Amino acid sequence: MNPPIELTIDKLVHGGYGLAFKGERAYFILNALPGESIRAEIIREKKNTSFGKTVEILHPSPLRIEAPCPHFMHCGGCHLQHLEYTEQLRFKRAILEETFLRIGQIKLADVEVIASPPWHYRTRAQFKVMKRPGNVQVGFFAVQSHRLWAIDQCPLLADRLNELLRGIQAEREGFLKPDITAEEFQVRTSGDESQWAMDFVGQPPEFEFAEESATMVPDGNLNYQTQHGNFRVGSNSFFQVNRFLLEPLVSKSIEGASGSKALDLFSGVGLFTVPLSRDFEQVVAIEENPYAVSDLQENLRANGCANVQVLGSDVSVIHRWGPKDWEDVDFVVFDPPRQGVERGVLGQFVKHQVPACVYVSCDPTSMARDLKILCAGGYQITSTQLFDFFPQTYHFETLIRLRRPISS
Ligand SMILES: C[S@@+](CC[C@H](N)C(=O)[O-])C[C@H]1O[C@@H](n2cnc3c(N)ncnc32)[C@H](O)[C@@H]1O
């Protein structure tokens, strides 16, 4: 391994890296803040780019704080614990604005930032199991690697999940039995922590520990109770992991929206579909994951939503729609995965001049690309909110509402 290299950090960039330059080479360094002089260990190199992490701080930034978690910069889960929380929010807002300008040529005005309680917000975690002869470890991937970093608690997780993790760590020798094949597992809890579930890939050991103050759901179907409805969420369905911002995200997304027909594209288990069904005469929900579709159908039944048509399909099904299908559509929710919305799907939406939409995304890059298409198609941004769904990490959710000018 090369000796650590001395660098001065220019700015904080996407990924939570401090960026520095030396000659032709760009250095992306974790645990480094603008203005700091540091020594960094280089972990990975590409053509003109190196990735690494700080091993010594020569001249600290006044914004630097002591990371509260002892696993910070060993475990790969967090990127920003060394930055005070309000500064994390300032950084994320700057990244959002810069990304929209660079990729979408869109100048975002008045970005409202919605903070989260910065710890114990997560209701889901995925752990790895690493077996060696006579030894087993449970934890997350180590920073910038696929090695395992063992942990017994994580301050991002709801307390219930940390209790479960402690129970599993106490009994982890069970993974060593020859017939046990599980190499990873997921733990989940409902927003109020009254229920929990563990989902294993492969055959898990028999755990003896009891979690008496909450109910284990053996079929993995958790019940999340929210102000917008109750949601069954199975182990293979997507559901937002920040239990504190889930409700405000939905409220802000659909606030004041009502009319004849709403489309919920990428609907998941129906987090937006259920409240939309109260304010629109008709709703069409499109979701391709059959497990999520099954949860969605149960959630529509349980919440009394009789006016929803479910299409268990890729959203590109809308290419086959005729003018009748688009008639009366007055609102669309786009909540796509990281890669964003296919260009042709956005094209259909623009072509049929749907009056208004909301776009929710965890990836500012694909979102800026897609918003460029919508803005070029005549839509105007009416509000932008940054929801900090993932404190201590560089990730966040963005919610943008758009509408066509009344005269067009
Ligand atoms: C970010 S999640 C949003 C789910 C839901 N709106 C929520 O907030 O709970 C994206 C969802 O889109 C689904 N999905 C991904 N690609 C899709 C596609 N091409 N067509 C339809 N659904 C898709 C995923 O299965 C997932 O449920």
Side-chain angles (χ1 to χ4, degrees):
M1 190 193 288
N2 291 327
I5 179 168
E6 204 170 308
L7 297 166
T8 301
I9 304 299
D10 279 358
K11 61 186 227 174
L12 211 47
V13 296
H14 182 69
Y17 294 104
L19 174 64
F21 292 97
K22 227 173 201 178
E24 295 287 284
R25 186 163 278 278
Y27 291 86
F28 290 85
I29 307 299
L30 286 173
N31 191 13
L33 296 176
E36 287 189 331
S37 301
I38 51 116
R39 280 206 182 87
E41 172 194 326
I42 302 305
I43 299 173
R44 197 156 49 90
E45 306 222 85
K46 283 196 200 163
K47 202 164 166 239
N48 281 328
T49 316
S50 300
F51 293 86
K53 66 174 184 179
T54 298
V55 287
E56 189 183 348
I57 300 157
L58 305 172
H59 174 76
S61 159
L63 299 180
R64 177 174 284 278
I65 59 167
E66 185 82 19
C69 176
H71 300 294
F72 183 60
M73 283 299 128
H74 300 290
C75 159
C78 290
H79 321 97
L80 296 174
Q81 283 196 23
H82 57 309
L83 192 55
E84 201 265 318
Y85 186 53
T86 51
E87 293 298 329
Q88 293 183 22
L89 296 174
R90 208 191 303 270
F91 157 66
K92 291 182 184 188
R93 180 186 169 149
I95 290 284
L96 176 65
E97 291 172 344
E98 188 268 323
T99 308
F100 265 67
L101 211 48
R102 182 168 45 85
I103 293 177
Q105 288 79 54
I106 297 169
K107 188 163 171 32
L108 290 175
D110 304 323
V111 177
E112 185 186 2
V113 176
I114 317 265
S116 165
W119 305 103
H120 301 293
Y121 58 86
R122 277 193 76 98
T123 53
R124 180 165 61 83
Q126 277 175 302
F127 294 102
K128 305 284 170 201
V129 179
M130 193 82 76
K131 293 203 244 182
R132 299 265 179 272
N135 178 23
V136 58
Q137 291 194 313
V138 172
F140 292 126
F141 279 142
V143 68
Q144 293 187 342
S145 91
H146 286 97
R147 279 181 295 111
L148 184 132
W149 183 261
I151 59 157
D152 54 1
Q153 64 88 42
C154 164
L156 304 196
L157 302 184
D159 289 340
R160 178 77 56 218
L161 300 187
N162 278 319
E163 283 171 33
L164 290 170
L165 176 59
R166 279 195 292 276
I168 287 184
Q169 288 290 20
E171 302 214 6
R172 68 179 184 278
E173 304 261 294
F175 282 106
L176 288 172
K177 294 188 185 140
D179 54 334
I180 303 304
T181 55
E183 290 180 357
E184 58 185 22
F185 63 95
Q186 165 174 271
V187 288
R188 293 177 295 131
T189 184
S190 52
D192 61 3
E193 302 186 73
S194 64
Q195 294 187 329
W196 58 274
M198 274 195 279
D199 320 303
F200 287 88
V201 177
Q203 179 61 39
E206 296 262 324
F207 292 107
E208 299 272 303
F209 64 84
E211 252 285 329
E212 282 157 9
S213 53
T215 310
M216 196 266 243
V217 288
D219 62 1
N221 288 331
L222 288 181
N223 180 31
Y224 280 75
Q225 300 189 353
T226 79
Q227 70 182 86
H228 302 290
N230 293 343
F231 297 93
R232 183 185 92 179
V233 185
S235 55
N236 296 310
S237 298
F238 172 91
F239 204 66
Q240 294 287 1
V241 296
N242 183 317
R243 59 196 169 132
F244 303 118
L245 293 191
L246 187 76
E247 292 179 344
L249 177 77
V250 177
S251 301
K252 285 278 186 192
S253 298
I254 61 171
E255 195 171 67
S258 64
S260 304
K261 188 170 171 183
L263 307 184
D264 186 6
L265 303 185
F266 310 94
S267 70
V269 305
L271 184 62
F272 296 95
T273 323
V274 167
L276 283 171
S277 84
R278 298 190 191 113
D279 293 321
F280 287 83
E281 284 163 32
Q282 212 194 331
V283 179
V284 179
I286 310 183
E287 165 61 48
E288 70 171 9
N289 171 359
Y291 298 102
V293 169
S294 160
D295 288 341
L296 169 63
Q297 272 157 341
E298 170 54 23
N299 292 335
L300 295 176
R301 193 201 56 74
N303 289 283
C305 308
N307 57 345
V308 179
Q309 183 190 3
V310 175
L311 302 180
S313 140
D314 189 294
V315 293
S316 60
V317 70
I318 68 167
H319 289 305
R320 299 203 290 272
W321 285 7
K324 254 219 136 357
D325 297 298
W326 287 99
E327 218 171 70
D328 298 334
V329 175
D330 33 29
F331 191 69
V332 174
V333 175
F334 296 101
D335 185 8
R338 288 204 154 271
Q339 56 269 37
V341 184
E342 185 212 315
R343 200 184 176 92
V345 169
L346 294 172
Q348 289 291 330
F349 171 81
V350 172
K351 179 175 159 197
H352 292 93
Q353 308 213 335
V354 178
C357 75
V358 58
Y359 192 125
V360 179
S361 171
C362 62
D363 187 309
T365 305
S366 59
M367 187 180 197
R369 179 201 67 203
D370 291 354
L371 269 271
K372 186 177 179 181
I373 295 171
L374 295 180
C375 292
Y379 288 86
Q380 289 178 353
I381 294 176
T382 55
S383 68
T384 305
Q385 271 109 18
L386 185 161
F387 280 81
D388 191 21
F389 263 66
F390 311 99
Q392 319 306 332
T393 81
Y394 69 86
H395 300 287
F396 55 88
E397 292 276 334
T398 308
L399 183 167
I400 293 190
R401 288 183 70 158
L402 301 106
R403 79 165 16 266
R404 294 192 83 78
I406 304 295
S407 57
S408 72

